């Protein structure tokens, strides 16, 4: 039987604890220390392979990321970030993570490798919310500049355009005050609907395929948080200012409004049908008398402080809300009645996530052993291109075919100009060091020719003996080429690479540190120009 849980955190420095509790019983299942995250700065890392679950939390007032696993209550991993992150989001499949900063920049990381794929200026002011579409094709960003940008995520991962700022697919600028929340409906790009909220007392419903505004919902208070029904029958909007009428004389009421996305239509034949709400002239009033015509005042009453976060459970039958004083309330959506009041946090609620109980939290009687954790690497602080099939690329201003081969790593920054120090791979094994010495000698000899205005590629055309140098210099270069191939062949067949037993009695020898993964055919292809040029030179 599946168990639904809630993961809640606070932005108060006096709290510093994230709690995991049963959504239906209120019992605490775990707590995670040393976590002070700003509003919307905690994100779950989903995984489709039933691996151990993780969640990421950007820390308030400092550029640090804390990674937690459900298998222990302490920080699983922490690492610095290039900027102080104010909002965080992970892709639906748990592959990518994006973070927004106060200056309006967005960083895009790959979670498994930690590579920073792109850093770009997305808004003029602080980014307040980031969201992925359900199919991960689109990234939404909202800001204090009152704009919502829609980014095609594949364009953000395109390494060929890293030098230019990406352009949003859509820019929605109908709001007049800062954006507070964004919710994406179920479906692919051509069928999803998006709800955005703002401090201007409105929520807007958009069609993602065309980018057009479908309906504007007007509320009597400013809206701070949204929750969209999984079936998209309605959405819930949390108020940030008190209602005009309160149920208590001493405390003001902060309401949660239920805005219906479908309404009943009565025909002349006596039939009743449902149609999508489009409002009169594109405007639908909620909480201003407009909701009463649908059967009553559709509000949730119980909070007495600004409501900061909302989250619906898997089927939309239960709602969790949190306010600025740390109060958490579980509601029954059908009756709009309070079911449970959870008082664990001491400060403002910064994030609420509902989830199915992960495999990490099942008892040992159910699982023989704890699942392996999802792969994660500390996030890089400098943008890097993605790893290709051949490995990291070398950047060189020379016409050196060795340096242009992505499978050959040369550590010679003083010899080959223009090499990126961060992209050079340093070998560790004895075989690798031996091979590296041969490579260094070869590059030094080739660099000498490049300084004279030549390269290996230019050797394919007839040149004078004076321009090439003495015959002895060329003979030495050819000999080094042969030594390089011999050392490579010895390394590829050594026990440290092939794993052949070399100990006494056939026992396997201790594994050595593996050398670089390079095939002899790749080296031969890289040096084929040298052999062919030697033949042409002798004929000349």
């Amino acid at each position: 039987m599946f168990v639904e849980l809630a993961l809640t955190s606070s932005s108060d420095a006096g709290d510093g604890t994230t709690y995991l509790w049963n959504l239906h019983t209120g019992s605490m299942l775990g707590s995670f220390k040393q976590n002070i995250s700003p509003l919307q700065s905690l994100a779950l890392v989903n995984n489709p392979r039933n691996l151990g679950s993780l969640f990421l939390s950007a820390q308030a007032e400092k550029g640090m990321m804390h990674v937690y696993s459900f298998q222990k209550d302490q920080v699983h991993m922490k690492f610095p970030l290039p900027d102080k992150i104010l909002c965080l989001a992970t892709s639906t499949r748990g592959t990518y993570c994006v973070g927004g900063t106060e200056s309006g920049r967005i960083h895009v990381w790959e979670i498994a490798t930690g590579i920073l794929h792109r850093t770009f200026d997305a808004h003029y002011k602080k980014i307040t919310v980031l969201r992925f579409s359900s199919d991960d094709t689109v990234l939404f960003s909202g800001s204090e500049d009152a704009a919502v940008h829609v980014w095609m995520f594949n364009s953000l991962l395109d390494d060929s355009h890293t030098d230019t700022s990406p352009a949003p697919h859509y820019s929605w600028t109908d709001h007049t005050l800062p954006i507070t929340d964004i919710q994406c409906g179920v479906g692919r790009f051509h069928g999803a609907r998006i709800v955005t909220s703002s401090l201007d007392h409105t929520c807007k419903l958009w069609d993602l395929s065309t980018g057009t505004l479908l309906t504007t919902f007007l509320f009597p208070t400013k809206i701070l948080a949204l929750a969209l029904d999984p079936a998209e029958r309605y959405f819930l909007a949390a108020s940030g200012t008190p209602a005009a009428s309160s149920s208590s004389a001493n405390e003001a009421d902060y309401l949660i409004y239920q805005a219906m996305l479908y309404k009943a239509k009565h025909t002349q034949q006596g039939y009743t049908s449902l149609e999508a709400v489009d409002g009169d002239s594109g405007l639908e009033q909620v909480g201003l008398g407009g909701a009463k015509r649908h059967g009553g005042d559709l509000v949730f009453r119980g909070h007495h402080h600004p409501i900061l976060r909302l989250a619906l459970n898997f089927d939309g039958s239960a709602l969790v809300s949190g306010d600025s004083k740390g109060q958490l309330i579980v509601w029954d959506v059908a009756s709009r009645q309070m079911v449970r009041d959870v008082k664990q946090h001491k400060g403002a609620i910064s994030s609420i996530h509902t989830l199915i109980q992960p495999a990490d939290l099942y008892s040992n009687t159910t699982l023989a052993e704890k699942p392996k954790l999802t792969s994660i690497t500390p996030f890089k602080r400098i943008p890097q291109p993605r790893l290709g099939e051949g490995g990291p690329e070398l950047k060189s201003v020379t016409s050196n075919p060795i340096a242009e081969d992505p499978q050959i790593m040369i550590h010679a920054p003083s010899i080959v100009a223009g090499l990126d120090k961060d992209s050079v791979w340093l070998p560790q094994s004895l075989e690798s060091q031996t091979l590296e010495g041969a490579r260094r000698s070869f590059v030094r000899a080739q660099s000498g020719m490049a300084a004279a205005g030549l390269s290996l590629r230019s050797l394919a055309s007839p040149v004078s003996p004076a321009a090439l140098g003495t015959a002895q210099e060329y003979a030495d270069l050819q000999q080094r080429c042969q030594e390089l191939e011999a050392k490579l062949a010895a390394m590829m067949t050594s026990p440290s690479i092939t794993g052949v037993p070399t100990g006494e009695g056939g026992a396997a020898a201790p594994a050595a540190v593996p050398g670089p993964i390079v095939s002899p055919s790749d080296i031969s292809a890289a040096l084929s120009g040298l052999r062919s040029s030697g033949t042409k030179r002798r004929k000349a």
Side-chain angles (χ1 to χ4, degrees):
M1 177 181 179
F2 292 108
V3 179
E4 290 184 305
L5 308 178
L7 183 70
T8 58
S9 65
S10 172
S11 59
D12 190 271
D15 193 336
T17 303
T18 299
Y19 293 100
L20 182 69
W21 45 281
N22 190 303
L23 183 61
H24 299 287
T25 65
S27 59
M28 291 295 156
L29 300 181
S31 60
F32 307 91
K33 312 294 184 182
Q34 305 176 17
N35 186 29
I36 304 174
S37 60
L39 194 66
Q40 303 201 60
S41 294
L42 186 147
L44 295 173
V45 180
N46 299 320
N47 64 83
R49 301 180 299 276
N50 200 29
L51 298 176
S53 300
L54 300 173
F55 66 90
L56 311 177
S57 180
Q59 298 304 293
E61 304 302 329
K62 56 183 178 180
M64 288 291 296
M65 180 77 78
H66 286 188
V67 182
Y68 294 86
S69 73
F70 291 122
Q71 299 179 9
K72 62 179 181 178
D73 59 354
Q74 299 297 325
V75 180
H76 172 68
M77 180 187 299
K78 63 173 65 174
F79 45 83
L81 297 172
D83 291 305
K84 185 173 68 175
I85 300 299
L86 299 182
C87 57
L88 201 67
T90 55
S91 61
T92 306
R93 295 175 178 84
T95 306
Y96 297 98
C97 175
V98 294
T101 69
E102 189 170 5
S103 62
R105 296 175 69 84
I106 292 179
H107 302 280
V108 181
W109 291 282
E110 187 174 3
I111 296 177
T113 63
I115 293 177
L116 177 57
H117 287 294
R118 177 69 71 91
T119 295
F120 62 97
D121 293 319
H123 293 269
Y124 297 106
K125 294 186 179 181
K126 179 176 71 174
I127 296 178
T128 56
V129 57
L130 293 169
R131 289 284 185 274
F132 278 92
S133 61
S134 59
D135 61 352
D136 289 343
T137 59
V138 172
L139 173 67
F140 304 92
S141 63
S143 170
E144 286 187 350
D145 60 10
V148 176
H149 290 331
V150 181
W151 311 89
M152 300 304 294
F153 197 63
N154 59 349
S155 66
L156 302 182
L157 300 177
D158 189 357
D159 292 338
S160 63
H161 297 87
T162 54
D163 296 335
T164 59
S165 297
H169 191 68
Y170 302 128
S171 289
W172 296 333
T173 58
D174 291 57
H175 287 289
T176 58
L177 289 177
I179 306 299
T180 57
D181 205 355
I182 301 173
Q183 291 294 322
C184 182
V186 179
R188 296 184 179 273
F189 179 84
H190 295 289
R193 295 186 296 176
I194 313 301
V195 183
T196 61
S197 64
S198 171
L199 297 180
D200 60 6
H201 293 217
T202 65
C203 293
K204 297 182 182 293
L205 182 67
W206 308 84
D207 178 65
L208 182 57
S209 61
T210 61
T212 57
L213 176 63
L214 300 178
T215 310
T216 297
F217 297 85
L218 179 61
F219 295 85
T221 63
K222 62 183 180 182
I223 303 302
L224 299 183
L226 294 173
L228 182 61
D229 174 49
E232 297 186 32
R233 300 165 296 177
Y234 59 85
F235 70 88
L236 302 168
S239 63
T241 52
S245 59
S246 300
S247 59
S248 174
N250 299 326
E251 295 181 300
D253 282 343
Y254 289 79
L255 306 179
I256 301 173
Y257 298 95
Q258 185 174 7
M260 305 303 296
L261 296 179
Y262 294 90
K263 61 182 178 181
K265 181 181 180 181
H266 301 284
T267 63
Q268 295 180 351
Q269 292 78 12
Y271 296 102
T272 301
S273 61
L274 291 177
E275 65 177 11
V277 171
D278 55 5
D280 301 327
S281 301
L283 181 65
E284 185 76 14
Q285 296 183 4
V286 180
L288 296 170
K292 292 183 178 179
R293 63 174 180 239
H294 295 304
D297 193 17
L298 305 181
V299 296
F300 297 73
R301 294 179 181 269
H303 283 284
H304 302 293
H305 302 282
I307 305 169
L308 302 180
R309 301 306 307 143
L310 296 176
L312 286 164
N313 68 336
F314 179 75
D315 59 359
S317 61
L319 169 70
V320 185
S321 60
D323 62 26
S324 60
K325 293 298 181 179
Q327 183 183 24
L328 291 165
I329 298 179
V330 181
W331 308 83
D332 177 67
V333 175
S335 62
R336 293 182 289 279
Q337 297 297 314
M338 183 190 305
V339 176
R340 188 169 294 101
D341 187 0
V342 180
K343 296 181 179 180
Q344 288 289 337
H345 293 282
K346 302 176 183 178
I349 302 300
S350 60
S351 63
I352 301 175
H353 293 273
T354 58
L355 64 152
I356 302 296
Q357 181 173 346
D360 311 54
L361 299 178
Y362 283 100
S363 62
N364 292 331
T365 58
T366 305
L367 296 175
E369 58 182 9
K370 294 293 183 182
K372 185 179 179 180
L373 289 177
T374 303
S375 176
I376 183 171
T377 303
F379 292 173
K380 302 295 189 298
R381 304 175 68 181
I382 301 176
Q384 292 178 324
R386 283 179 292 176
L387 291 174
E389 294 181 358
E393 296 181 355
L394 283 176
K395 301 176 182 178
S396 176
V397 297
T398 65
S399 58
N400 188 348
I402 299 296
E404 292 173 358
D405 190 335
Q407 290 189 346
I408 303 178
M409 306 301 155
I410 305 172
H411 180 57
S414 62
I415 300 171
V416 182
L419 283 181
D420 186 359
K421 190 179 299 181
D422 295 331
S423 65
V424 177
W425 181 81
L426 298 177
Q428 298 179 357
S429 65
L430 181 60
E431 294 85 354
S432 300
Q433 294 175 5
T434 303
L435 179 60
E436 190 66 24
R439 286 175 178 168
R440 189 178 294 109
S441 301
F442 179 78
V443 173
R444 184 181 295 110
Q446 184 185 342
S447 300
M449 290 190 299
L454 297 173
S455 65
L456 285 179
R457 292 178 178 177
S458 64
L459 295 179
S461 58
V463 295
S464 63
L468 182 61
T470 63
Q472 183 61 36
E473 291 176 351
Y474 181 80
D476 294 342
L477 181 61
Q478 191 174 34
Q479 182 179 1
R480 292 192 187 99
C481 172
Q482 296 173 355
E483 292 176 355
L484 176 64
E485 290 184 325
K487 291 178 183 296
L488 175 65
M491 186 195 72
M492 298 300 295
T493 57
S494 65
S496 62
I497 301 297
T498 60
V500 179
T502 58
E504 297 181 0
V513 179
I517 303 175
V518 188
S519 62
S521 60
D522 295 327
I523 296 293
S524 300
L527 302 177
S528 58
L530 180 61
R531 302 193 194 93
S532 59
S533 63
T535 303
K536 292 182 179 180
R537 175 187 172 279
R538 286 190 292 270
K539 290 181 179 179

